[in-house]
């Protein structure tokens, strides 16, 4: 069965520091991979997505993610974090067949210290 | 940029009452979804809808739940007799077809509180 694991429940970084949020997935075929961000009480905003091609994808707000098939990972990175990046981040895998529901990880809550 | 619109943004209902959550998906999308997020937990798939019928549903989506696309633009989720544990944020999403159109767009959610 498909699954997504985000090993870090909470991460705290200082403003200006680099960030990497981990995501591992389990899926037998080629996955469609997504990162979403959710501010408190808000909806889900798409940061970036990977379907095929270049394994390094660029997203909004200066985020990027790298798909590594050998490691079943799709880690999210940002070179310099801003205070406004404090939020919850969800990795998701979409099945490439059928009706393509999304399966979400449990999320990583990011806190940013000034 | 096209949006998925959900109404209401908040709803408080008494246990046992029926609620209908409404969504207007993106007009040229063909696949529609409902997801649920209980406070502090991850987002969970409820149901997918395509070609005017349910294509897949999760274990959560029991007989108390139903979905409908009554008029070609709205997509609704009905909970027939709400329970306390139905309190959650409910997200509607729609999806385009393949290629560059492939992508989910989520609404801002409806926060349902059952008292």
């Amino acid at each position: 069965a498909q699954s997504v694991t985000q090993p870090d429940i909470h991460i705290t970084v200082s403003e200006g520091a680099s960030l990497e949020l981990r995501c591992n997935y389990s899926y037998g075929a080629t996955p469609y991979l997504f990162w979403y961000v959710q501010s408190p009480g808000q909806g889900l905003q798409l940061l970036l997505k990977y379907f095929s091609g270049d394994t390094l994808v660029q997203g909004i707000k200066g985020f990027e993610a790298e798909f590594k098939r050998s490691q079943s990972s799709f880690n999210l990175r940002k070179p310099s974090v801003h205070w406004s990046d404090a939020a919850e981040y969800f990795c998701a895998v979409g099945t490439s067949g059928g009706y393509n529901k999304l399966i979400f990880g449990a999320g990583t809550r990011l806190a940013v210290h000034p | 940029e096209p949006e998925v619109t959900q109404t209401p943004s908040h709803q408080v209902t008494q246990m046992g009452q029926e609620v209908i959550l409404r969504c207007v998906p993106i007009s040229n999308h063909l696949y529609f979804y409902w997801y649920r997020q209980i406070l502090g937990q991850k987002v969970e798939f409820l149901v997918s809808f395509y070609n005017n019928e349910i294509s897949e549903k999760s274990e959560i989506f029991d007989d108390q739940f139903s979905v409908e696309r009554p008029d070609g633009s709205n997509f609704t989720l009905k909970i027939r007799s709400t329970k306390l544990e139905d309190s959650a944020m409910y997200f509607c999403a729609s999806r385009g077809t393949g290629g560059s159109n492939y992508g989910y767009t989520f609404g801002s959610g409806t926060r349902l509180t059952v008292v």
Side-chain angles (χ1 to χ4, degrees):
Chain A
Q2 307 95 347
S3 66
V4 176
T5 301
Q6 294 181 246
D8 305 304
I9 298 173
H10 289 99
I11 283 184
T12 300
V13 300
S14 297
E15 192 169 15
S18 64
L19 172 70
E20 182 168 28
L21 302 183
R22 296 182 290 165
C23 172
N24 293 95
Y25 67 90
S26 172
Y27 182 60
T30 301
Y32 294 173
L33 295 162
F34 304 80
W35 275 100
Y36 286 89
V37 61
Q38 184 182 38
S39 297
Q42 301 300 310
L44 297 164
Q45 182 181 23
L46 178 67
L47 287 176
L48 46 75
K49 60 190 175 187
Y50 170 79
F51 299 148
S52 63
D54 193 347
T55 56
L56 184 64
V57 292
Q58 302 297 319
I60 62 170
K61 304 185 180 188
F63 285 92
E64 66 177 26
E66 186 171 14
F67 170 57
K68 293 186 178 180
R69 184 185 299 274
S70 61
Q71 298 177 18
S72 297
S73 69
F74 188 57
N75 294 349
L76 182 72
R77 300 193 294 247
K78 186 169 186 179
S80 177
V81 171
H82 188 263
W83 64 266
S84 60
D85 293 323
E88 185 129 27
Y89 292 80
F90 291 96
C91 180
V93 62
T95 56
S96 55
Y99 300 99
N100 308 113
K101 67 185 179 190
L102 287 181
I103 298 165
F104 285 83
T108 297
R109 183 167 297 281
L110 174 67
V112 179
H113 279 178
Chain B
E1 186 164 331
E3 290 184 343
V4 173
T5 304
Q6 288 187 246
T7 55
S9 56
H10 293 88
Q11 176 134 13
V12 180
T13 189
Q14 289 200 326
M15 190 169 53
Q17 294 297 304
E18 175 184 286
V19 295
I20 297 176
L21 309 184
R22 302 181 190 280
C23 169
V24 179
I26 292 174
S27 60
N28 62 349
H29 284 184
L30 299 178
Y31 301 86
F32 312 110
Y33 307 83
W34 284 100
Y35 290 81
R36 179 182 82 174
Q37 185 183 31
I38 294 172
L39 187 63
Q41 299 186 23
K42 69 177 179 181
V43 179
E44 302 172 289
F45 167 77
L46 290 179
V47 64
S48 59
F49 191 86
Y50 171 75
N51 200 25
N52 285 319
E53 61 182 22
I54 290 174
S55 47
E56 186 176 358
K57 59 184 180 180
S58 70
E59 293 177 353
I60 303 167
F61 195 88
D62 62 21
D63 292 344
Q64 293 300 312
F65 291 88
S66 63
V67 289
E68 194 176 43
R69 188 160 162 78
D71 56 12
S73 62
N74 290 284
F75 179 50
T76 61
L77 174 69
K78 181 192 291 186
I79 308 175
R80 205 178 335 272
S81 177
T82 50
K83 303 188 281 280
L84 293 176
E85 53 265 38
D86 294 327
S87 295
M89 180 78 96
Y90 288 81
F91 292 107
C92 174
S94 67
R95 178 174 73 78
T97 54
S100 61
N101 289 324
Y102 189 103
Y104 297 82
T105 301
F106 282 83
S108 297
T110 293
R111 180 166 296 286
L112 176 66
T113 302
V114 182
V115 297

